Amino acid sequence: MNDLLRALISITVVWLGLLLTLRESVRLITFDWNQRRLRHRYGINQSTPILEYGPELERLSDEAANRASGQVRFAYTSGTTAQPKRLLYTKRRLRVLKLAFVDMFARGCWSTGIRRTSLYVFGSLAKDNSLTSLLLEEPKIPGYLTTLQAPYRIQCHPAFQALLSEYGPTAIALWILALANPGVLYSTNPSSLVIFLDKLRNDWDRSARLVKDWHESPERFDPSLVRVASRLKSRGWCSRLRLIATSTTPLSFEECAPAVSTYICWTGGYLKSFLDRLESYLPATRYRLLPMYSMSTETVETQTHFENGNVMFLPIAKQVLYEFVEEGREDLSENLLAASKLRRGKSYAMVVTDSYGLRRYQTGDLFLCRGHVHGLPDLHFLRRRELEYSFTGEKLTSAQVTIALERLRDEYPELHAAQHLACIPSHQHAVTPHYKMVLVTGSNELLKLSADALALSLDRLLSECNSEYRSKRETGRLGAVRIVQVSAAQFMSSVESPQFKFLPLYRRTWEEFQSHP
């Protein structure tokens, strides 16, 4: 019965995708008119200044919160600043964001031929003040049909809190995936999915322990969990759980959840190493990657557009006024361009205005215009515009670090096995300021590379990319690069905050990460 209902839900989702695709065509046609309407509604004119996050935007956000009816919440970003940004989210705004995802997902199912639309979302089971946590928050236990389409949502059930402390999130995810056997996986950042798959491979005993205990003696578990399991079961669940429970060696993901055919995640920015690792677990010959649109805590920056087998990203979020500043130009009102004025091959910083306190807000996110769709730019996220750090005038940028780390990987092919590389500034007491290269591996086994050789090579590569860095190193104002190797689990537990993001360069120091995880 569960699978029959899932099939009917999938048909509904696919046909909904057709209707939403037709609706999107209307939105594209009326885009310019809608942008003019929003400009008038928000009172934006030539003299309106461009703002970065600060006291003025916080004041505007508080004013918007006072005008809002109903429950008001605030989400906090990690951003690249020393202090998290505080962004207003009303109940209505959260609903609009969820519908934006539903819109993309249904259109993607229609356009790419996804037929099993049941979805598992990877997210933290612990509550925090991030936007992701707000979006995944469940006011009550979801209904039967809801959990058939979105089995991850049942994790709000109180019975899972006890399981979390005893078994951990990976074991819970594997148990649900094996029972429900969904067709699609979603992870906003591919690192979350990579870490899950790494743990299946490198810590199989702990990852599979919940399934093993359930298989051996389900009667020992809370009766409410038995009822939950009955709502999740999919054809072949018993064989899958038996296979996992009796295997002494790690199984492939396909053996655990054979119906998965598609995974959705963000592909912009600095995520190549994670995407490469996902490809090794979920090869393109077997799995389809559906790129996620760009969304920051501040706003939805682009929406996914499907056309003729291609995936594009258009600035068409609901109730958002978009303007752009070409890379290299100052943040002045006279330099602002409408979306229709962007040129192919040029890079632009996005400026947004909405009704939640953002008023000509400079997001700092840089996009490459790859072409145009129905007169709108196809925008692919490049990087944070001004992500840089400077101890003594070197002004090291994320772009320079990205180049240096890619060249380092070319010199040391073994580094391709690393999950992530990053530079983090360090200013310890009585130690010359320097940058640490943090090498995050996928398991507890660290790469057998010479730390001294790696440090010397990265020092040289950073000097080649940044002459000021070279000068400060030669004069001794900057110390040599130091290497820190940690496993993914150690890295996440020691330096991750609820809003942590993987980046090539951080503005916070290593000591701040350690002191305020």
Side-chain angles (χ1 to χ4, degrees):
M1 178 59 70
N2 283 0
D3 281 303
L4 175 60
L5 290 173
R6 282 193 181 97
L8 293 174
I9 293 171
S10 294
I11 293 171
T12 302
V13 170
V14 170
W15 283 102
L16 175 63
L18 171 60
L19 295 176
L20 292 174
T21 298
L22 296 174
R23 190 190 71 162
E24 187 195 41
S25 299
V26 176
R27 293 172 62 196
L28 296 180
I29 294 170
T30 60
F31 176 80
D32 288 337
W33 172 84
N34 191 51
Q35 290 287 286
R36 290 193 296 270
R37 180 184 65 84
L38 291 176
R39 183 180 298 275
H40 176 73
R41 174 183 170 185
Y42 298 143
I44 301 299
N45 54 51
Q46 186 62 30
S47 62
T48 304
I50 299 174
L51 301 175
E52 294 187 349
Y53 189 83
E56 177 63 13
L57 274 180
E58 288 186 338
R59 182 186 66 80
L60 292 170
S61 179
D62 289 337
E63 289 180 356
N66 291 333
R67 293 193 302 268
S69 59
Q71 186 181 31
V72 170
R73 311 281 293 277
F74 287 93
Y76 291 79
T77 74
S78 64
T80 52
T81 54
Q83 297 298 324
K85 302 172 187 176
R86 179 174 64 94
L87 286 310
L88 171 65
Y89 275 88
T90 63
K91 184 176 180 180
R92 179 180 181 276
R93 192 183 188 194
L94 288 171
R95 183 170 64 251
V96 168
L97 274 186
K98 292 176 181 178
L99 291 176
F101 176 81
V102 171
D103 174 75
M104 180 278 293
F105 180 73
R107 288 187 293 105
C109 291
W110 166 261
S111 301
T112 60
I114 296 173
R115 292 296 174 259
R116 189 178 180 90
T117 66
S118 52
L119 172 72
Y120 185 86
V121 172
F122 286 86
S124 174
L125 299 184
K127 292 184 179 180
D128 54 52
N129 56 11
S130 67
L131 176 57
T132 300
S133 183
L134 293 182
L135 289 171
L136 292 178
E137 192 174 83
E138 296 282 356
K140 60 181 181 180
I141 305 300
Y144 171 50
L145 293 180
T146 299
T147 53
L148 288 179
Q149 167 57 24
Y152 70 93
R153 293 182 60 177
I154 200 62
Q155 291 172 162
C156 71
H157 195 288
F160 282 94
Q161 292 307 309
L163 293 181
L164 181 62
S165 60
E166 183 176 357
Y167 293 99
T170 301
I172 291 175
L174 179 61
W175 182 75
I176 293 176
L177 287 166
L179 279 172
N181 197 22
V184 184
L185 306 178
Y186 171 80
S187 172
T188 301
N189 193 309
S191 61
S192 300
L193 184 49
V194 167
I195 290 170
F196 168 77
L197 294 170
D198 276 343
K199 288 182 177 179
L200 288 190
R201 185 184 66 183
N202 300 315
D203 194 6
W204 175 254
D205 288 341
R206 176 168 171 76
S207 300
R209 191 159 65 89
L210 173 57
V211 172
K212 291 180 180 180
D213 289 351
W214 181 271
H215 176 74
E216 292 172 1
S217 51
E219 67 280 356
R220 59 164 285 210
F221 290 90
D222 189 315
S224 65
L225 201 63
V226 177
R227 291 192 294 271
V228 166
S230 68
R231 293 171 58 175
L232 297 177
K233 290 175 182 176
S234 178
R235 186 179 296 108
W237 68 272
C238 191
S239 298
R240 290 190 296 275
L241 264 62
R242 183 188 306 111
L243 181 63
I244 294 170
T246 57
S247 178
T248 57
T249 57
L251 298 177
S252 68
F253 181 73
E254 183 175 7
E255 292 174 291
C256 299
V260 173
S261 64
T262 304
Y263 63 100
I264 303 171
C265 65
W266 191 48
T267 59
Y270 318 101
L271 300 173
K272 184 176 186 301
S273 61
F274 291 106
L275 295 171
D276 288 344
R277 291 181 66 81
L278 272 183
E279 169 70 18
S280 68
Y281 285 118
L282 307 173
T285 53
R286 167 70 174 79
Y287 297 92
R288 177 195 295 109
L289 167 60
L290 204 59
M292 175 69 174
Y293 51 83
S294 291
M295 186 182 78
S296 65
T297 304
E298 291 91 330
T299 188
V300 176
E301 296 180 316
T302 61
Q303 281 280 38
T304 311
H305 175 75
F306 304 94
E307 189 170 307
N308 299 325
N310 297 315
V311 179
M312 290 149 282
F313 305 95
L314 310 181
I316 55 173
K318 189 175 182 180
Q319 302 301 314
V320 177
L321 173 63
Y322 293 98
E323 297 174 289
F324 299 87
V325 177
E326 187 174 338
E327 183 181 15
R329 291 186 177 273
E330 293 186 63
D331 282 346
L332 300 174
S333 298
E334 55 264 32
N335 289 333
L336 286 168
L337 298 170
S340 58
K341 301 298 182 182
L342 306 192
R343 292 184 292 169
R344 181 175 184 173
K346 295 286 187 178
S347 299
Y348 300 89
M350 180 181 286
V351 176
V352 297
T353 303
D354 65 16
S355 59
Y356 299 99
L358 299 183
R359 185 174 177 84
R360 273 201 169 161
Y361 169 65
Q362 173 56 265
T363 66
D365 289 337
L366 202 63
F367 293 84
L368 172 66
C369 177
R370 289 183 134 180
H372 294 83
V373 181
H374 305 290
L376 293 179
D378 175 18
L379 299 175
H380 287 245
F381 179 83
L382 291 176
R383 62 183 183 274
R384 294 285 299 173
R385 186 176 65 164
E386 295 177 349
L387 179 57
E388 64 177 32
Y389 198 88
S390 189
F391 281 115
T392 179
E394 71 275 13
K395 294 181 181 177
L396 190 64
T397 69
S398 62
Q400 293 165 347
V401 171
T402 299
I403 292 171
L405 293 178
E406 286 300 317
R407 291 176 179 174
L408 191 68
R409 288 181 187 272
D410 291 339
E411 292 184 9
Y412 294 88
E414 302 94 325
L415 287 177
H416 287 282
Q419 189 177 86
H420 185 63
L421 301 178
C423 268
I424 300 180
S426 179
H427 195 179
Q428 299 166 271
H429 179 66
V431 176
T432 305
H434 61 279
Y435 291 87
K436 294 186 185 297
M437 185 184 83
V438 181
L439 191 159
V440 184
T441 60
S443 67
N444 292 323
E445 181 178 351
L446 303 183
L447 298 181
K448 295 178 175 62
L449 292 170
S450 168
D452 291 340
L454 281 175
L456 286 172
S457 295
L458 184 57
D459 228 9
R460 169 177 51 80
L461 292 168
L462 290 174
S463 296
E464 292 174 0
C465 293
N466 183 314
S467 59
E468 287 297 325
Y469 178 90
R470 180 175 65 249
S471 174
K472 303 310 188 279
R473 284 286 295 116
E474 291 172 350
T475 60
R477 293 165 66 183
L478 276 180
V481 169
R482 301 190 180 190
I483 305 298
V484 178
Q485 285 199 69
V486 296
S487 70
Q490 291 170 327
F491 185 67
M492 301 297 284
S493 64
S494 65
V495 301
E496 183 181 19
S497 72
Q499 302 91 24
F500 186 82
K501 297 176 183 176
F502 284 101
L503 296 169
L505 174 67
Y506 294 92
R507 285 183 175 176
R508 293 172 63 191
T509 65
W510 176 255
E511 291 71 34
E512 287 173 325
F513 276 126
Q514 296 284 353
S515 301
H516 304 286

